[in-house]
Amino acid sequence: MLELQGIGAGYGQAQVLRDLSLTVDGGEILCLLGRNGAGKTTTMKAIMGLLPLMSGKVLLDGVEVSALPPHRVPRQGLGYIPQGRRLFGELTVAQNLEVGLMARGAGADVREQVLDLFPRLRERLRQRAQTLSGGEQQMLATARALCLSPKALLLDEPTEGLQPSMIDAIRQVILRMRAQGVAVLLVEQRVDAVLSLADRVAFLENGRLARTLPAADLRADHAIVDRYLGV
Amino acid sequence: MEFGPYLLLASLEGAVTAAVLALTAVGLSLVFGVMRVVNVAHGEFFMLGAVLAWWIATTVGGHPALGFAVALVVAPLIVGVLAALADMTVLKRVAYDPERTIVATIGLLYIIQQVTLMTYGPEARPVEPPFNHRLAIPWIERVEGSWQLYYPWGLSTTSYKLAVIGAAAVVLLGVWALLARTRIGLVMRATQLDRDMATAFGIPVERVYALVFGLGAALAALGAVLVVPIQQAHYLMGGDPLLLSFIVVIIGGLGSLPGTVAAAILIGLSDGIISVFFSPTLAKIIATLLVALVLVFRPQGLFGTRAA
Ligand SMILES: Nc1ncnc2c1ncn2[C@@H]1O[C@H](COP(=O)(O)OP(=O)(O)OP(=O)(O)O)[C@@H](O)[C@H]1O
Ligand SMILES: [Mg+2]
């Protein structure tokens, strides 16, 4: 479904990602792990076309999205939940969702489905995004991405700074997306949270893929995690 | 001589200045707000609007109202398209880098000015107002214990000037509605708030920029078309609107549209009143001084909320 073929990317002259290849199938959760600064966020930006690729390509459902202008990438069905949420802070909850809905011309039915997943947002449609609590903001960031009815979903540390009940709510949504056949690429720091969720885990080290393996293997042998993350 | 009627007259003159200034400054503010660039050529788009209005009015002929009506629609449209083209060919190339955009728009300023000089010439030319009734200014006085309306001798304004104020108010309401109530406005605001996230949600940021740049220039041109029956079109007329727009945008708080309108009214009215009672030069001096004070003591602008 989502396929990265030997991508290289970086900021200006500084290359961060080198020859990175990954595949995430529909209905699969691939978790990307790596130390701070390993290039996880950079990977997501490169997939979204927000950073120009130095090499390689990104395919979604057979379409070479990396050949498209950046604003056409999400329209192919890529939903992005960025690190730090990055909501349109001065816009209301409803307007943030509207931006998501516009991307692929989705209608009121999609909006209703998304709001059913996050009833708390429904109560706050006219509230400005920047005045939401941290957990509500994360819900909104997630809901905004779901408004694209994505084929693939990119989540960059969605549980950062959230309390357990909120983490669980986000988790349920991720599982539901998997059940609907969405390809989920998840970046997470909290390994324990990841292991119960992911199907496969990929370790990123200095912008290169160090290893990819089934999550079950990690659950069996926790030492691998310590080796790559050096906890 | 009574003071009141003169103050009313001065306020009316000031309101006309404020109306045109609000249109021009909102254009500048919109461009700065959404694109984070300073358009030094803004005054030239104003001038271009006035010159095109003259050209259109003369070409169309017939009743002055006909030519003026066509100019009111077509001149801002042409200027807007030209500005959008300039955005796509020049500003996009310098990647909207703030410093390089200033230099690029300075270049644009001279190109527009010189091309106008070469084609339109150095003359100042008037455009006939579509209607122009003299309206005596009423005042009230107390005669034998009751209030009476009377018309002080020699004080008057014109129906056209009042229409300028009304037209500007309508257009500003339209801009507000566009931003607050429409999809395109939502897209513009999302782009303003977070360019990368806008892109990540399918918004063609470069096209939004071209649109905003065109819209900003068109607003300046519209202000100029409105003012040209009062002021005459001249190839150097862009300097004052640019300076005053900068003053207004800084006082109003960079990129804040309500602040810009409020500051335009403040500067326009005080300009009118000070010009009538003292001198236009003093008005400009005070406005510039006010900017300096605002920059020192309240850099976010009088009406701005966040630090600039
Ligand atoms: N805008 C930028 N300009 C230059 N370098 C950057 C930029 N953003 C990130 N980098 C660099 O790229 C490298 C990878 O950063 P990235 O944000 O992808 O890390 P990460 O794996 O997401 O880390 P974290 O776990 O802390 O979020 C880092 O060395 C970082 O300093
Ligand atoms: Mg990161």
Side-chain angles (χ1 to χ4, degrees):
Chain A
M1 177 70 88
L2 178 65
E3 198 175 345
L4 279 59
Q5 295 180 351
I7 64 166
Y11 303 90
Q13 297 293 319
Q15 187 162 358
V16 175
L17 302 180
R18 286 165 209 276
D19 195 30
L20 178 63
S21 298
L22 275 180
T23 21
V24 192
D25 289 327
E28 182 192 40
I29 299 175
L30 175 72
C31 187
L32 199 56
L33 292 176
R35 292 191 177 96
N36 291 127
K40 304 180 295 291
T41 299
T42 307
T43 306
M44 301 240 164
K45 286 190 196 163
I47 296 172
M48 292 308 296
L50 297 177
L51 290 175
L53 292 191
M54 294 167 173
S55 59
K57 51 186 169 180
V58 179
L59 302 168
L60 178 69
D61 218 2
V63 179
E64 190 181 342
V65 289
S66 49
L68 300 173
H71 72 272
R72 302 254 320 264
V73 173
R75 294 184 190 175
Q76 296 299 314
L78 263 173
Y80 181 31
I81 300 158
Q83 188 169 15
R85 301 161 195 139
R86 306 224 2 214
L87 297 168
F88 301 110
E90 284 179 24
L91 302 185
T92 63
V93 170
Q95 288 171 326
N96 270 277
L97 294 177
E98 177 78 21
V99 172
L101 291 167
M102 270 191 298
R104 295 184 82 194
D109 48 330
V110 175
R111 185 185 140 111
E112 286 310 304
Q113 283 167 23
V114 170
L115 285 174
D116 285 343
L117 288 177
F118 301 102
R120 271 173 82 158
L121 294 180
R122 198 190 286 281
E123 298 158 15
R124 296 167 191 280
L125 284 174
R126 303 184 64 86
Q127 193 173 331
R128 277 180 173 212
Q130 64 197 6
T131 64
L132 294 174
S133 78
E136 289 161 355
Q137 290 192 8
Q138 189 61 51
M139 287 182 175
L140 180 54
T142 312
R144 180 178 65 172
L146 295 186
C147 283
L148 278 78
S149 309
K151 295 177 191 163
L153 196 58
L154 314 180
L155 300 103
D156 198 345
E157 305 204 18
T159 61
E160 214 175 13
L162 297 188
Q163 69 190 40
S165 69
M166 206 61 94
I167 293 177
D168 199 54
I170 302 285
R171 232 176 122 83
Q172 293 308 321
V173 170
I174 295 175
L175 288 173
R176 191 188 276 249
M177 288 303 118
R178 172 170 71 180
Q180 288 176 10
V182 175
V184 179
L185 179 61
L186 174 66
V187 167
E188 224 357 304
Q189 292 285 356
R190 298 154 31 86
V191 180
D192 48 328
V194 166
L195 287 184
S196 57
L197 200 63
D199 297 305
R200 282 189 304 138
V201 174
F203 288 99
L204 201 60
E205 226 175 29
N206 297 324
R208 291 175 196 274
L209 195 64
R211 191 154 170 203
T212 312
L213 70 175
D217 292 7
L218 285 184
R219 286 193 282 268
D221 180 8
H222 209 273
I224 308 175
V225 177
D226 300 341
R227 183 152 96 242
Y228 288 106
L229 297 183
V231 205
Chain B
M1 180 179 85
E2 267 199 275
F3 176 70
Y6 283 90
L7 185 64
L8 181 60
L9 178 72
S11 305
L12 271 177
E13 291 295 315
V16 175
T17 311
V20 175
L21 184 55
L23 287 178
T24 314
V26 161
L28 190 69
S29 180
L30 201 61
V31 168
F32 179 81
V34 176
M35 303 168 64
R36 298 281 141 189
V37 297
V38 174
N39 176 16
V40 184
H42 197 62
E44 303 318 304
F45 290 127
F46 180 92
M47 176 275 283
L48 215 49
V51 167
L52 282 173
W54 174 83
W55 180 71
I56 292 167
T58 343
T59 313
V60 172
H63 190 276
L66 180 66
F68 184 81
V70 176
L72 200 57
V73 177
V74 176
L77 213 60
I78 297 178
V79 172
V81 169
L82 282 177
L85 287 177
D87 171 87
M88 289 187 281
T89 50
V90 182
L91 300 196
K92 189 172 150 184
R93 294 286 160 84
V94 300
Y96 304 98
D97 173 79
E99 283 95 26
R100 290 200 287 169
T101 300
I102 290 179
V103 177
T105 52
I106 290 175
L108 216 52
L109 178 158
Y110 283 114
I111 293 171
I112 297 175
Q113 222 171 61
Q114 292 307 309
V115 169
T116 309
L117 177 61
M118 278 152 48
T119 51
Y120 171 85
E123 300 85 8
R125 297 189 173 102
V127 170
E128 239 185 285
F131 48 84
N132 206 22
H133 313 285
R134 267 182 99 73
L135 301 174
I137 290 181
W139 194 249
I140 41 175
E141 64 176 353
R142 219 173 154 80
V143 181
E144 291 159 8
S146 67
W147 291 103
Q148 275 190 352
L149 203 64
Y150 80 110
Y151 296 91
W153 186 81
L155 292 189
S156 67
T157 184
T158 66
S159 57
Y160 181 72
K161 285 185 178 174
L162 295 185
V164 169
I165 300 170
V170 169
V171 172
L172 289 173
L173 273 177
V175 172
W176 173 81
L178 177 81
L179 285 173
R181 293 272 177 274
T182 68
R183 277 192 166 194
I184 187 71
L186 182 61
V187 162
M188 280 160 54
R189 288 168 69 201
T191 306
Q192 164 169 12
L193 291 169
D194 192 330
R195 184 193 159 141
D196 273 354
M197 277 311 114
T199 308
F201 284 88
I203 294 175
V205 166
E206 277 171 354
R207 243 175 282 163
V208 174
Y209 279 4
L211 180 79
V212 166
F213 202 71
L215 184 62
L219 282 171
L222 186 64
V225 179
L226 287 176
V227 88
V228 84
I230 304 171
Q231 233 190 37
Q232 302 200 341
H234 185 257
Y235 84 105
L236 287 177
M237 74 191 292
D240 262 9
L242 179 69
L243 177 69
L244 284 175
S245 296
F246 271 134
I247 289 175
V248 162
V249 168
I250 291 171
I251 292 179
L254 295 169
S256 147
L257 290 190
T260 302
V261 173
I265 294 171
L266 178 77
I267 293 295
L269 279 182
S270 61
D271 188 87
I273 292 168
I274 297 169
S275 301
V276 167
F277 289 106
F278 302 98
S279 83
T281 316
L282 184 67
K284 299 275 184 307
I285 292 175
I286 290 180
T288 318
L289 200 66
L290 186 58
V291 166
L293 290 175
V294 165
L295 282 177
V296 172
F297 294 107
R298 230 184 120 78
Q300 75 272 38
L302 286 187
F303 308 95
T305 46
R306 284 170 307 166

